[in-house]
Amino acid sequence: MPSPRYTRDIPARYRLDAARCSACGHVALPRRTICSGCRSQDMEPVRLTRRGTVVTSTVIHVPPDEFTTEAPYAMAIIETPEGARLMAQVVDCQAEEVVPGMELSLEFRRIRREGHGGILCYGHKGVPVRRHEA
Amino acid sequence: MRDVAIVGAGMTRFGELWDASLRDLFVEAALAGLGSAGADRVDSIYVGNMAAGQFVGQEHLGPLMADHLGMHGVPAVRIESACASGGAALRMGFLDIASGQSDLVLVAGVEKMTDGADVTNVLATASDQETEVYHGITFPGLYAMIARLRMERGTTTEEDLHWIAVKNHRHGAMNPKAQFRREISVDDVARSTMVAEPLRMLHCSPVSDGAAAVLLAPLDQARRYTDRPVRIAGSGMATSTIALADRPDPADLDVVRLSAERAYAMAGMSPERVQLAEVHDCFTVAEVCCLEALHLANGSEASQAARTGYSALGGRVPVNTSGGLKSKGHPVGATGVAQVIELFDQLRGEAGERQVPDAHVGLAQNMGGSGASSVVHILERV
Ligand SMILES: [Zn+2]
């Protein structure tokens, strides 16, 4: 992927800038022009809270090339308090611990490196909220 | 709309076919299909293919394949809907005949996956590059998330999934076209390498080469080509969100339900009429979701269908008598057409050891992505 593509995605990936539908309340990340819930075009900007709950998860043992050194690693669909859902890696814990219902904070991390010594790609990863820290 | 019939069919063996190129596979299947109907020339061609551009660097498959059949001049176009490309191509051919535009149509699905491309990366392009693949999810990973959700709710167990692979290999062992003609045990599945928890290697369909072709004609002209045509009674297609995260319930393949309801409505049939089905078991858990969504079994019945024999040969609704994607193989663009060829053979009473007795009505369901597109066809013996 060439670099302009990453630049365009910075609002969603770096800042979790999403859009909320004024008509039905549906929240989309990244922002969309048309609400996928009700087709309204009245979408207002909203920045997501950097925490969420695991909806479902898996542990990837056979990874894509760029993630070879990280496997096995946990991936989850995470729902934020605004009701937005996003796909993210979950780190700083044992991969097997990541199960539906788990509370996570969303932290800004490096996601991947493109090609040989190429562009560093950033975004958010889930990190378990430990009870004694919460 | 005119009634449409399948009047001929042909396919290659599925597997790692090192000696055959993309075009070789297509020509072999198309020639077999044309030959079975005694046809020499068609009015139009639909090529079902997911990703020849990525697998072998070849796009523009319509004219390429028409050219290699010696039919340059004939309208020909490639149809793409990820792993549902074959089913989508069949639907286009069906509409072409039904509309009255063409009187004989060749629909052929083809995929050449073993020429060196990174298959994991290519297949992942059927999901959302920007919100899913970027973060490190794989295709098996998406279906693993569906499986984990079902297991968390207690609707499906790991062993239920093992049995689906066992059942489909048992069927595929009887299919001369299948990639894996051997039976496997529950233990084999349970001990196979982990791919994406809870899915293991033997829950996943393989990487395959292959092609499958059918010939379509108006039902009232079908006897020119065969004395045993099979009618396409219903065709339904639907789409859902491209990203798994964006579905209200990620464990529910709503796209399958919607495509099936459209096909049932066109056919004027209820699900009880279906005597056998070919469904898109790209991963074992998909077969469970599909049985439910097609209304062929309800919740726990669907999960346990392979174990209880409900979906095995001899059961209430035999599912994937061909071996399914799991055992027959999954050359993605060819799969949707190959499913329909299994039904064609079954409804004509030509399925040999795998024959479902007195089969009149069969259903084929072909899925794209993690459930972002689905095509259902209902076939009927006439
Ligand atoms: Zn809305």
Side-chain angles (χ1 to χ4, degrees):
Chain A
M1 287 192 276
S3 57
R5 185 166 178 181
Y6 293 130
T7 310
R8 287 197 302 271
D9 289 331
I10 281 176
R13 287 183 182 150
Y14 287 24
R15 300 196 290 268
L16 297 183
D17 279 347
R20 179 188 279 123
C21 173
S22 304
C24 78
H26 182 81
V27 180
L29 176 79
R31 289 176 182 172
R32 291 184 181 211
T33 306
I34 302 169
C35 174
S36 67
C38 73
R39 304 199 65 236
S40 165
Q41 291 186 40
D42 193 3
M43 302 292 281
E44 58 188 20
V46 57
R47 185 161 296 174
L48 301 180
T49 312
R50 291 179 191 230
R51 61 188 158 84
T53 308
V54 174
V55 176
T56 185
S57 60
T58 183
V59 180
I60 303 289
H61 289 257
V62 181
D65 282 349
E66 297 91 330
F67 295 85
T68 306
T69 57
E70 293 169 53
Y73 56 89
M75 298 286 315
I77 292 176
I78 301 163
E79 184 166 314
T80 73
E82 292 79 12
R85 292 218 183 133
L86 55 125
M87 176 71 72
Q89 256 193 65
V90 181
V91 295
D92 295 354
C93 63
Q94 295 297 312
E96 307 78 56
E97 293 175 48
V98 181
V99 292
M102 186 183 215
E103 299 287 325
L104 302 172
S105 64
L106 292 168
E107 296 191 359
F108 188 73
R109 297 285 178 97
R110 193 178 87 188
I111 303 293
R112 65 205 290 174
R113 180 195 293 271
E114 185 194 286
H116 302 288
I119 303 161
L120 296 178
C121 307
Y122 295 92
H124 282 76
K125 291 185 181 179
V127 175
V129 177
R130 305 287 176 189
R131 281 282 166 234
H132 60 274
E133 296 165 6
Chain B
M1 294 250 293
R2 300 193 290 182
D3 272 335
V4 180
I6 302 177
V7 298
M11 66 183 281
T12 66
R13 192 167 70 78
F14 282 4
E16 294 183 355
L17 308 177
W18 308 108
D19 293 336
S21 69
L22 180 78
R23 64 190 71 182
D24 294 338
L25 293 167
F26 181 91
V27 169
E28 182 187 334
L31 270 184
L34 288 162
S36 75
D40 179 47
R41 221 179 151 73
V42 298
D43 296 329
S44 70
I45 299 170
Y46 294 89
V47 183
N49 175 264
M50 171 179 167
Q54 297 181 78
F55 282 127
V56 297
Q58 179 70 59
E59 306 281 17
H60 214 179
L61 300 191
L64 175 77
M65 299 313 183
D67 179 9
H68 279 265
L69 289 176
M71 290 195 208
H72 49 83
V74 170
V77 66
R78 173 262 196 96
I79 303 293
E80 188 273 318
S81 188
C83 309
S85 298
L90 178 66
R91 182 172 157 81
M92 293 304 117
F94 166 80
L95 295 172
D96 194 340
I97 298 280
S99 73
Q101 181 68 39
S102 296
D103 284 333
L104 189 62
V105 168
L106 172 68
V107 175
V110 61
E111 209 76 57
K112 178 69 194 174
M113 299 174 73
T114 65
D115 262 359
D118 184 328
V119 173
T120 302
N121 287 346
V122 174
L123 292 180
T125 62
S127 49
D128 191 322
Q129 279 293 331
E130 296 185 4
T131 66
E132 294 183 313
V133 178
Y134 177 86
H135 296 279
I137 195 69
T138 59
F139 224 72
L142 292 166
Y143 278 92
M145 286 184 162
I146 294 174
R148 177 162 282 180
L149 206 46
R150 296 184 66 95
M151 285 165 57
E152 195 71 19
R153 290 171 184 170
T155 48
T156 305
T157 68
E158 231 175 306
E159 203 186 334
D160 291 337
L161 301 181
H162 299 341
W163 274 100
I164 291 167
V166 170
K167 184 259 298 175
N168 288 347
H169 270 260
R170 191 173 295 158
H171 292 170
M174 294 183 270
N175 184 351
K177 302 287 191 186
Q179 182 162 359
F180 299 122
R181 297 197 62 195
R182 64 184 173 88
E183 297 200 19
I184 56 173
S185 69
V186 168
D187 269 2
D188 293 335
V189 186
R191 283 201 304 260
S192 61
T193 310
M194 190 61 85
V195 175
E197 295 179 28
L199 299 183
R200 296 172 180 274
M201 188 67 83
L202 289 178
H203 290 124
C204 308
S205 54
V207 172
S208 320
D209 303 323
V214 292
L215 275 180
L216 308 182
L219 184 59
D220 60 14
Q221 297 175 27
R223 307 272 168 190
R224 291 181 196 170
Y225 307 103
T226 176
D227 53 3
R228 278 170 300 161
V230 168
R231 178 174 166 260
I232 300 179
S235 171
M237 181 169 185
T239 54
S240 184
T241 67
I242 188 87
L244 184 64
D246 289 336
R247 303 202 193 126
D249 179 359
D252 176 36
L253 293 176
D254 55 350
V255 74
V256 178
R257 181 173 307 105
L258 196 52
S259 58
E261 284 167 359
R262 287 170 181 165
Y264 286 130
M266 185 187 285
M269 286 186 198
S270 65
E272 292 74 41
R273 293 278 305 278
V274 174
Q275 293 166 286
L276 76 156
E278 290 285 304
V279 312
H280 198 94
D281 60 322
C282 49
F283 301 96
T284 48
V285 65
E287 182 167 312
V288 175
C289 298
C290 288
L291 283 199
E292 260 179 37
L294 295 166
H295 307 293
L296 295 179
N298 58 39
S300 59
E301 200 174 46
S303 292
Q304 295 166 22
R307 186 203 309 230
T308 60
Y310 181 99
S311 61
L313 270 167
R316 164 71 185 80
V317 186
V319 173
N320 288 328
T321 56
S322 67
L325 285 55
K326 175 69 203 78
S327 162
K328 182 180 54 187
H330 183 29
V332 284
T335 284
V337 181
Q339 290 179 318
V340 163
I341 291 179
E342 176 69 8
L343 297 183
F344 183 68
D345 290 345
Q346 289 278 1
L347 298 174
R348 284 156 56 102
E350 293 174 345
E353 296 183 80
R354 310 190 305 285
Q355 184 64 48
V356 174
D358 202 30
H360 278 81
V361 175
L363 178 150
Q365 181 271 332
N366 187 200
M367 189 143 53
S370 63
S373 63
S374 173
V375 186
V376 170
H377 285 96
I378 298 171
L379 271 55
E380 182 180 29
R381 188 164 102 189
V382 287

